[in-house]
Amino acid sequence: MTAGKILLLGVLASLVFVSSEAAVFRWIDSTGRTHYSDRPQPGAQELKLNKLAAPFYYVQRVYDGDTLLLKGDIRVRLLGIDTPEVEGRYRAEQVGGGSARDWLRQRIEGQKVRLEFDQERHDHYQRLLAHVFTVEGKHLNLLLVEEGLAVVSIFPPNLKYGTQLAQAQERAEAARRGLWNMPDYAPRPILAIPQEGYQRGWRRYQGTPVAIRSSRKYVRLVFSKQVEVRIPQAQLNLFGKLERYLEKQLEVRGWVSRRKENYSILVRHPSGLKLLF
């Protein structure tokens, strides 16, 4: 651990019982060294204590680009994003999975991190759901998306940082960084899904929805008799009027599921749909 990090932790420890308006100050001297203090300095940046005083957790292991193991055998799933799978006992590595894992390992394995939670604390695997920050305050979920190593995958009601993540994805896509420049993740015709069969992992598909159908649980954008996009009724308020997608070229991002000879993509958040102009 660098002297700057040790100093920052010491300052935070001394201020932890101060009011939430307390702050620490960070500045860089003429030699490029970073300093922290609880007293203002000329040219220093003020860091609010209420964003830094949360407990720090030691990262024992980075499993992949979106899953960590903390000291105490605590597993953490990064909120709002998804990275390709790495090689496992029963699965092959997906393209880009190793790059995301290695990027994250280099930054936090063996280091301390801060966690921010949203509406749900655990997933069905009993992993903690969190936004993960370095000691210096870098938002790792966001940076993974910005670098094109992860895609946005928002599960309501966990909407914290949703706008920032979607904007970071737009920048990564425009710059063709990471996954956005890999042939495996290039968009495919959505009507080709029945011919191609089931495709594992996150994919991009393009097509034109021709109808809207509703049921008790879902509203469906229909592309053909065999292919549709399912939007949960519970999240419909996030999308606005679905009629704006009809008869227009649309890109759908997500995971294909199959039921007999029918295929669908479940989209829980508007970031999974993109109108093409």
Side-chain angles (χ1 to χ4, degrees):
M1 181 179 293
T2 65
K5 290 180 181 177
I6 293 172
L7 178 57
L8 173 60
L9 292 174
V11 171
L12 292 175
S14 68
L15 292 173
V16 71
F17 295 110
V18 183
S19 76
S20 62
E21 294 302 315
V24 294
F25 298 86
R26 176 175 61 193
W27 74 97
I28 301 174
D29 65 21
S30 58
T31 68
R33 294 182 61 191
T34 302
H35 301 267
Y36 299 91
S37 175
D38 58 340
R39 298 177 182 178
Q41 303 289 331
Q45 176 189 5
E46 181 180 347
L47 306 175
K48 291 293 185 181
L49 181 61
N50 62 342
K51 290 193 175 183
L52 291 173
F56 289 96
Y57 300 88
Y58 179 80
V59 179
Q60 288 189 174
R61 181 181 176 187
V62 172
Y63 287 120
D64 55 31
D66 53 37
T67 313
L68 317 174
L69 179 68
L70 303 180
K71 185 177 181 180
D73 200 30
I74 301 169
R75 291 188 301 159
V76 177
R77 177 64 165 79
L78 275 65
L79 268 171
I81 70 169
D82 187 83
T83 60
E85 299 287 348
V86 298
E87 184 178 1
R89 181 179 298 179
Y90 303 109
R91 64 172 184 262
E93 181 170 311
Q94 295 175 343
V95 175
S99 298
R101 177 199 58 205
D102 295 344
W103 185 94
L104 198 57
R105 275 182 176 171
Q106 290 171 8
R107 282 152 182 81
I108 61 170
E109 196 164 74
Q111 306 294 321
K112 289 187 177 181
V113 294
R114 178 175 64 86
L115 306 182
E116 267 191 39
F117 303 105
D118 205 338
Q119 297 297 309
E120 297 174 328
R121 284 291 187 103
H122 296 87
D123 65 9
H124 60 284
Y125 297 112
Q126 292 307 303
R127 298 176 297 188
L128 272 178
L129 299 171
H131 290 273
V132 181
F133 294 80
T134 66
V135 171
E136 297 85 2
K138 293 181 180 179
H139 187 183
L140 293 166
N141 310 49
L142 188 67
L143 288 175
L144 281 159
V145 174
E146 189 87 56
E147 293 296 324
L149 298 167
V151 295
V152 174
S153 180
I154 296 174
F155 282 54
N158 301 308
L159 301 174
K160 182 182 285 189
Y161 298 113
T163 299
Q164 294 92 323
L165 289 169
Q167 292 171 346
Q169 180 163 277
E170 289 176 5
R171 293 190 293 270
E173 181 181 2
R176 297 184 62 81
R177 287 193 288 267
L179 302 176
W180 303 100
N181 196 36
M182 295 180 181
D184 288 70
Y185 302 106
R188 301 282 302 150
I190 198 166
L191 295 182
I193 290 177
Q195 288 74 47
E196 294 178 347
Y198 174 74
Q199 298 290 315
R200 176 170 165 259
W202 181 88
R203 291 289 186 269
R204 301 162 65 194
Y205 293 98
Q206 293 180 357
T208 303
V210 296
I212 296 173
R213 292 194 297 111
S214 295
S215 64
R216 182 181 60 83
K217 194 172 181 180
Y218 297 104
V219 176
R220 293 170 167 83
L221 289 172
V222 179
F223 290 80
S224 73
K225 290 183 178 180
Q226 289 182 274
V227 181
E228 62 187 21
V229 167
R230 292 179 293 135
I231 299 172
Q233 290 277 7
Q235 278 95 57
L236 191 59
N237 64 308
L238 299 173
F239 289 80
K241 292 185 177 181
L242 295 184
E243 286 76 10
R244 66 193 177 97
Y245 296 123
L246 284 179
E247 304 295 342
K248 294 181 181 178
Q249 189 73 359
L250 182 66
E251 182 167 301
V252 182
R253 298 163 175 181
W255 292 260
V256 175
S257 61
R258 177 180 179 178
R259 185 174 183 181
K260 295 183 179 180
E261 299 304 314
N262 297 315
Y263 298 83
S264 67
I265 301 173
L266 177 61
V267 176
R268 297 180 175 87
H269 187 268
S271 57
L273 301 176
K274 181 180 179 180
L275 277 170
L276 303 176
F277 299 100

